[in-house]
Amino acid sequence: MVTFMNTQPYNGLLTTIVIFGASGDLTQRKLIPSLFNLFRKRRTPKKFKIVGFGGTAFTDDQFREHLHKGMKEFAGYDFSDDDWNVFAPNLHYLTGKYTEPSDFQKLADTLTASEEGDANRLFYMALPPTLFPTIIENLDATGQLHENGGWRRVVLEKPFGTDLPSAVTLNKQVHKALNENQIYRIDHYLGKETVQNILFTRFANTIFEPIWNRNYIDHVQITVAEKVGLEHRAKFYDDVGVLRDMFQNHLLQLLSLVAMEPPASFSASHLRNEKVKVLSAIQPMTPEQVSVNTVRAQYKGYRNEAKVDPTSTTPTYAALRLFVNNWRWKGVPFYLRSGKNLAEKQSQIIIQFKEPPLAMFPMQTMKPNLLVLYLQPDEGVHLRFEAKAPDTVNETRSVDMEFHYESAFGKSVIPEAYERLLLDALQGDASLFTRADEVESAWSLIDPILQTWQAHQTPPLGVYKPGSWGPLEGYDLLARDGRRWLNEEASLHDR
Ligand code: BG6
């Protein structure tokens, strides 16, 4: 039986969630289904309203109809019209331009008229970051960020900048009107149950932490492989590529959670302080280091995709070898890789422990223990160790101790990442959001790689077959250290 999380109390005021970019994909696919689920679970504030704002002309009813269609497609197994009919009257829509101050005045007047005094407002930016400063300026100019008895918070979607200077500028722009504690920068990976479970595995147990260091761990592999290609985002993707799209945020977040010191508490500031320390213990690479410690590649046929520049050098795959230079991790390589159009959708973290110092049994091949955190799909944790194969004199065989969410907690217990993140933003808990200095630290590691790739064309852009596990160079990165990617081993599949 699953016990639900304790929710923090709300302050009893009306809360309005304003979504900018409300006619877009994210709102229909993720935000509204997540808010609806929170509502069903009675986790939304008692009095709340959702106001969509966007360029598409919708009436309230058309907006509701558009979202209802999305619910049927994306909400999952237990969507019921009965619940929807109670939820839908909370949805409203205002047509407006993001650059038009008078439209923001109209929004301010509409909200004030519906609030009857002090109220909370959560502004969600479900649109490209180039629009954030203008929207925030317009909100500020119309007095909408001023906290009265109620709070004002702003949720910012990724990507947060395209490099370090642009992220610094964006931080400065948003800080002109908002305090850091009003800003919630999304990385949806942090909203995933299995990603949060990295911390629970480490810090809710005593058996892992004593061996979670350079004395026992040989290396760490983090793979976020995607089977999908560009879907409908070719233009966006061709401008950013895999390093900005996946590494600057998701993969470095995963690395931080694996490598961080135990925080003093799970408060936003303690947790985020520890993550920033990990990132600052990684030295930005020199061009020479980039050429040996990074791999970039593009899948065959990428340049023929619609809306992709036919001469594009945008990488759709990358692999990195990073070191966290502190007492815990000195000398332990972290291998990270991610790509589109790979063999499978598979996100996992493998901790490989050191080999036994001595092979005591004649038929023992040196097989190190592995702890595998399966983030998706088939969420769970495996511990691989050696056992005596029965009916042999002294042969060993690798076996797994396994935990799977589905068998332990039941089917469909894992909520959508956005559900948790929206709940936290409504309740004022920023632990699972990225702080300004964290974003900047991550960019300071990514920028030198991007610059070397572009300026020196090193390492050269590799090619891989769609549906494969990536280019040969990705294997060489580990082979040079006498290692290999372990997730492709049959023994770790489909158990
Ligand atoms: C997004 C990237 O942040 O994460 C996408 O922009 C990627 O390109 C997606 O497909 C992967 O998320 P998930 O939750 O499917 O692993």
Side-chain angles (χ1 to χ4, degrees):
M1 148 144 176
V2 179
T3 47
F4 287 114
M5 69 185 97
N6 284 328
T7 50
Q8 295 169 19
Y10 292 108
N11 60 9
L13 300 177
L14 168 74
T15 299
T16 307
I17 302 160
V18 180
I19 304 177
F20 294 105
S23 52
D25 225 31
L26 184 74
T27 307
Q28 197 192 31
R29 274 174 181 265
K30 303 281 187 191
L31 302 184
I32 294 300
S34 297
L35 286 165
F36 174 69
N37 269 335
L38 289 174
F39 173 76
R40 274 196 321 115
K41 295 176 187 173
R42 306 204 190 313
R43 291 179 184 168
T44 38
K46 246 200 188 105
K47 290 185 279 176
F48 78 99
K49 255 186 217 316
I50 299 170
V51 177
F53 184 104
T56 308
F58 277 139
T59 61
D60 283 359
D61 281 341
Q62 285 167 336
F63 184 51
R64 289 170 191 158
E65 189 43 41
H66 165 74
L67 299 176
H68 184 241
K69 245 199 250 150
M71 289 301 298
K72 287 194 176 150
E73 210 176 328
F74 307 116
Y77 64 102
D78 56 357
F79 173 68
S80 107
D81 270 345
D82 294 348
D83 290 332
W84 178 260
N85 292 337
V86 186
F87 175 77
N90 296 297
L91 295 164
H92 305 273
Y93 190 83
L94 206 67
T95 309
K97 282 208 180 85
Y98 305 118
T99 48
E100 184 48 61
S102 65
D103 287 343
F104 280 77
Q105 193 54 55
K106 203 165 69 187
L107 174 67
D109 296 342
T110 310
L111 296 186
T112 309
S114 69
E115 283 172 351
E116 300 165 359
D118 291 351
N120 309 313
R121 292 182 195 171
L122 182 75
F123 297 102
Y124 197 112
M125 312 271 174
L127 27 68
T130 42
L131 290 167
F132 298 169
T134 316
I135 295 176
I136 291 174
E137 240 169 66
N138 281 329
L139 285 173
D140 195 28
T142 47
Q144 299 192 63
L145 297 176
H146 174 70
E147 297 196 317
N148 47 21
W151 46 255
R152 301 288 181 266
R153 296 177 193 145
V154 175
V155 183
L156 303 174
E157 261 299 328
K158 70 171 271 275
F160 197 86
T162 52
D163 54 14
L164 180 59
S166 62
V168 171
T169 306
L170 194 50
N171 273 331
K172 278 195 188 132
Q173 285 166 329
V174 298
H175 283 150
K176 270 193 215 153
L178 295 158
N179 294 321
E180 180 61 27
N181 66 8
Q182 294 176 284
I183 305 169
Y184 292 72
R185 294 175 195 78
I186 288 255
D187 181 324
H188 79 281
Y189 264 58
L190 294 176
K192 289 180 189 276
E193 286 288 339
T194 48
V195 172
Q196 292 156 42
N197 194 45
I198 299 170
L199 295 181
F200 283 75
T201 303
R202 292 190 56 196
F203 304 134
N205 297 296
T206 51
I207 58 171
F208 299 116
E209 206 43 30
I211 55 170
W212 206 263
N213 57 52
R214 62 193 298 272
N215 298 326
Y216 294 92
I217 293 179
D218 178 75
H219 74 279
V220 177
Q221 301 186 4
I222 302 179
T223 296
V224 179
E226 296 194 89
K227 201 170 166 56
V228 293
L230 302 180
E231 300 178 290
H232 51 285
R233 301 156 72 228
K235 174 74 187 78
F236 163 80
Y237 193 87
D238 199 37
D239 285 342
V240 298
V242 67
L243 215 55
R244 292 188 177 98
D245 190 42
M246 298 296 288
F247 283 74
Q248 186 275 339
N249 36 63
H250 311 324
L251 276 95
L252 286 179
Q253 284 294 335
L254 296 178
L255 182 151
S256 303
L257 296 175
V258 171
M260 69 192 268
E261 294 302 314
S265 77
F266 260 36
S267 72
S269 63
H270 286 153
L271 201 67
R272 297 191 292 182
N273 286 348
E274 295 305 336
K275 286 199 289 165
V276 172
K277 280 193 217 160
V278 173
L279 295 176
S280 39
I282 304 173
Q283 245 87 67
M285 289 189 214
T286 61
E288 293 70 32
Q289 289 166 336
V290 170
S291 72
V292 289
N293 288 327
T294 73
V295 173
R296 58 180 183 139
Q298 201 178 65
Y299 65 80
K300 233 182 232 154
Y302 173 78
R303 291 175 190 175
N304 303 328
E305 299 270 21
K307 297 197 182 148
V308 167
D309 174 355
T311 61
S312 171
T313 55
T314 300
T316 57
Y317 168 101
L320 310 181
R321 177 175 176 265
L322 296 175
F323 288 93
V324 180
N325 289 315
N326 61 19
W327 273 58
R328 187 188 281 264
W329 295 113
K330 181 80 185 156
V332 177
F334 284 75
Y335 301 102
L336 277 54
R337 74 174 161 168
S338 180
K340 297 260 184 221
N341 236 328
L342 294 177
E344 293 176 21
K345 180 172 177 75
Q346 195 187 87
S347 302
Q348 58 178 250
I349 299 171
I350 301 181
I351 317 286
Q352 180 175 317
F353 292 91
K354 293 198 164 166
E355 287 184 352
L358 191 68
M360 290 195 24
F361 308 105
M363 295 300 285
Q364 180 185 1
T365 47
M366 290 292 208
K367 284 260 183 63
N369 300 130
L370 302 181
L371 182 72
V372 187
L373 305 170
Y374 290 89
L375 307 181
Q376 60 188 25
D378 190 18
E379 296 82 358
V381 179
H382 286 201
L383 180 63
R384 192 178 82 177
F385 63 102
E386 297 303 289
K388 179 179 178 298
D391 208 18
T392 66
V393 178
N394 47 26
E395 276 183 38
T396 64
R397 200 73 53 78
S398 300
V399 292
D400 279 14
M401 277 205 258
E402 301 175 19
F403 149 64
H404 292 270
Y405 276 78
E406 192 175 321
S407 52
F409 297 120
K411 237 183 162 146
S412 317
V413 288
I414 299 190
E416 166 61 47
Y418 277 93
E419 199 179 311
R420 173 63 191 271
L421 295 174
L422 279 160
L423 180 68
D424 283 2
L426 285 167
Q427 297 193 335
D429 181 352
S431 313
L432 300 178
F433 295 83
T434 324
R435 207 168 56 190
D437 54 346
E438 203 177 343
V439 176
E440 292 177 14
S441 299
W443 277 120
S444 70
L445 300 177
I446 296 299
D447 268 15
I449 303 176
L450 288 169
Q451 282 158 10
T452 306
W453 284 358
Q454 207 185 355
H456 305 290
Q457 292 299 310
T458 178
L461 182 71
V463 188
Y464 62 99
K465 229 172 87 197
S468 70
W469 276 107
L472 285 178
E473 294 86 336
Y475 292 89
D476 293 343
L477 183 74
L478 274 70
R480 281 204 303 269
D481 295 342
R483 302 187 175 102
R484 62 185 194 286
W485 294 107
L486 293 160
N487 67 314
E488 295 162 33
E489 279 185 13
S491 64
L492 288 173
H493 282 176
D494 306 325
R495 288 183 158 256

